Amino acid sequence: MCGIAAYYHQDGITRQRLHELLAAMTGLRHRGPDGEGIVLINSQSGEQWRLKTPATPTDLACDLLPEEYQEGQADLFLAHRRLSIFDLSSAGHQPMSDATGSLLTFNGEVYNFWELREQLKAKGYTFQTGTDTEVILAAFQEWGPKALESFNGMWTMIWWDQARRKLLVSNDRAGIKQLYRFGGEKEWMLASEIKAIRQVFPNQLTLHRENARFFLDQTILDFNEETLLREVKRIPAGHYAYGHPADMPVYVPYWSLPEQGRRFRSMADAAAELRDLLKDAIGLRMRADVPWGTTLSGGLDSSAIVYLAHAIDPSQAIRTFTASFPNQEGDETEFVRFIEQNLGTRAAYVNPLQEFDFEDFARHLHHQDQPVRSTSMYAQWAVMKEVGRSEVKVLMDGQGGDELFGGYHHHVYKLGRDLILKGKFGAYRRLVEEFCELKGKSPQVVKKLIQDDVKLYVKLKAGGKMPGPKENLAWNKARSLREVLRLDLQSWVMPNLLRYEDRNSMAFSIESRLPLLDYRVIEFAFQLPDEYKIRQGWQKAVLREAVPELPDKIRYRKDKKGFTTPEKDWVTQFRDQFEHFARKGLELGVGTPWGKPFEGLHTAELFRLASLGLWWEGKDQ
């Protein structure tokens, strides 16, 4: 897990630009505190120079000091900040080269590299390190871009193919790791975080006002490749580009979700298959040469990971980290303490209420690179800060369960709408009755929500318009539960959460791993019938069946809290600061949420406007 960057200029890199790029990499040191690597390449001749910087490991041979660089001698810059997880020696340093002169700088992990290493050994490859990086280089040498299809992990990677003078840029299937692009054919830059691009091009980036307006109204960012800076784009998940740096082609997909469902003999069979997949996904992510742990909220997803990890290795007292809000509504500490007693975990608790101050919130926002929609993101930040105080360097987290298995309330409503549109009124009534009985909700209220959604769907199908980007229209027009889940995973919900996860964890040099987003689990989930996801009022039904060792206190919790925080208390306590930066947000000319008067904003709306203003005010720091 690291920070990476690349830069290309058709006319060669100037000494001034090299200085700016090195400063930008210093700004990413939180992503990789264990060393820096810089390689300069002349993409026409193939010549390469490894640069010596103050953060380069002392036992690595280098060719050049920054002050010795000649104007324009290289046109391609590859850079890496290392967080050591496998083979902690300098042998794992990046950009790593192979015998052909090809180079790799990559952020993330390919968890199945041991198995790939054995395949490649059988083909005659030899290995000198214990890293996945060396295995990836060999895989590209053997299979070219097709190697991406064999990787199980999370990554953004940049591979320089020396023999063909081509560059490959890739993102993992789910977009767990992010990579951002600025520029055109003559000059461009790639970086793990937008702040690195900002540092090199501070005067060439402008606010994407339409996306800012949509964020204020709908709380959503990252719904496509665009960002809040009009000139900066996110590399799409599950895609790669491969070509000469001067002529990078359009990004093309190497993976897609299954188009068809599967037949299962029974729910029990599906649950057993899911259990096997989850155990293998978790087992792969327990691999590390450093201590690991898990976040734990006490909900179904994170608890399932802890119990399955315990089943894999009962001898280990698992380290867990939890946000605790004593005496606050939504606090889930009792469930975590129950698991601590039940499994003998080594539990750590942090109270974000005690951590919160406005200066720390500003640091959190700086690391996020874009505004955040609620204080839930700060609660996660506080947990990661607590992990950073420990010896743990690798953390497993439960992101993905809701998006794959129908865990949000809107999934029930969308399923109800689909049943009405299909004329399955008996099934619709049973769905509402069972869900409302389980959740203690009013059937009349839920029915009205669903029926209003049916009216909106009919209106949109007849040509009605929706404000905001095309993704807003697509989400509201999605007919089936499967299509809604696909959009939640790929554009509507998960990309936001993945950015929050990445920035919060990497701010404290923590590698966060997400076993529920193993691509095999994703593919399996999208082959399941709806009734295995929402059954007799229970959401994520098949996941509950897949982990029978979960105590019923956890397995059959009826409340769905999400990552709740006492947001109103924080905004009230720091009202002056929030209002100050909310007015800074107003100065950007994007208005207030839903066009309300400033004085009429409720807490969450004021928070988002302040988040926007504070982010923009501090964007060049």
Side-chain angles (χ1 to χ4, degrees), residues 176-250:
I176 298 171
K177 296 288 105 181
Q178 298 89 46
L179 190 66
Y180 297 89
R181 189 180 198 274
F182 167 86
E185 290 185 359
K186 182 175 180 178
E187 180 186 34
W188 52 255
M189 182 176 177
L190 298 166
S192 295
E193 296 186 8
I194 296 172
K195 62 176 64 65
I197 296 173
R198 282 202 324 258
Q199 190 159 351
V200 178
F201 301 98
N203 301 316
Q204 295 173 246
L205 306 178
T206 58
L207 179 68
H208 195 308
R209 294 183 183 278
E210 296 83 1
N211 284 357
R213 155 59 53 197
F214 194 68
F215 165 72
L216 291 178
D217 286 347
Q218 297 285 348
T219 79
I220 296 173
L221 287 170
D222 305 300
F223 46 80
N224 56 25
E225 284 105 65
E226 294 182 336
T227 69
L228 272 193
L229 295 171
R230 191 173 294 278
E231 298 79 12
V232 177
K233 312 293 184 186
R234 178 167 54 91
I235 303 303
H239 284 64
Y240 77 95
Y242 182 53
H244 189 274
D247 188 30
M248 290 297 288
V250 173

Side-chain angles (χ1 to χ4, degrees), residues 5-70:
Y7 171 83
Y8 171 78
H9 198 296
Q10 182 176 287
D11 299 330
I13 301 171
T14 65
R15 296 184 72 174
Q16 174 64 27
R17 182 64 87 210
L18 178 61
H19 172 77
E20 292 164 352
L21 291 166
L22 293 176
M25 290 308 297
T26 300
L28 294 182
R29 62 184 175 272
H30 54 279
R31 298 188 70 92
D34 299 325
E36 178 177 69
I38 310 288
V39 174
L40 299 167
I41 302 168
N42 186 307
S43 67
Q44 300 303 316
S45 68
E47 290 180 277
Q48 301 177 9
W49 302 269
R50 192 169 292 273
L51 204 64
K52 179 75 172 179
T53 74
T56 304
T58 56
D59 59 342
L60 282 183
C62 294
D63 307 297
L64 207 61
L65 293 170
E67 58 267 26
E68 296 171 338
Y69 175 75
Q70 300 300 309

Side-chain angles (χ1 to χ4, degrees), residues 325 328 352-353 356-358 361 372-378 565-583 598-612 614:
F325 298 95
Q328 294 284 332
L353 281 170
F356 190 91
D357 63 54
F358 207 82
F361 176 68
V372 297
R373 69 187 185 197
S374 77
T375 51
S376 292
M377 287 73 244
Y378 181 83
T565 59
E567 182 168 283
K568 186 175 182 179
D569 291 352
W570 282 341
V571 175
T572 300
Q573 183 180 356
F574 296 93
R575 186 83 185 187
D576 290 345
Q577 292 99 319
F578 275 107
E579 286 195 355
H580 171 76
F581 284 103
R583 295 188 186 279
F598 185 83
E599 293 73 21
L601 296 178
H602 61 62
T603 298
E605 293 167 337
L606 180 68
F607 176 87
R608 291 199 300 277
L609 188 57
S611 179
L612 176 66
L614 179 58

Side-chain angles (χ1 to χ4, degrees), residues 310-357:
H310 178 77
I312 292 167
D313 183 6
S315 67
Q316 185 167 172
I318 298 171
R319 289 294 309 266
T320 65
F321 298 86
T322 299
S324 176
F325 298 95
N327 304 314
Q328 294 284 332
E329 183 181 356
D331 181 55
E332 299 181 271
T333 307
E334 66 164 300
F335 300 101
V336 179
R337 293 201 183 280
F338 174 81
I339 295 170
E340 181 183 2
Q341 294 295 318
N342 189 241
L343 291 186
T345 59
R346 295 171 59 199
Y349 302 86
V350 60
N351 184 347
L353 281 170
Q354 295 175 345
E355 297 280 327
F356 190 91
D357 63 54

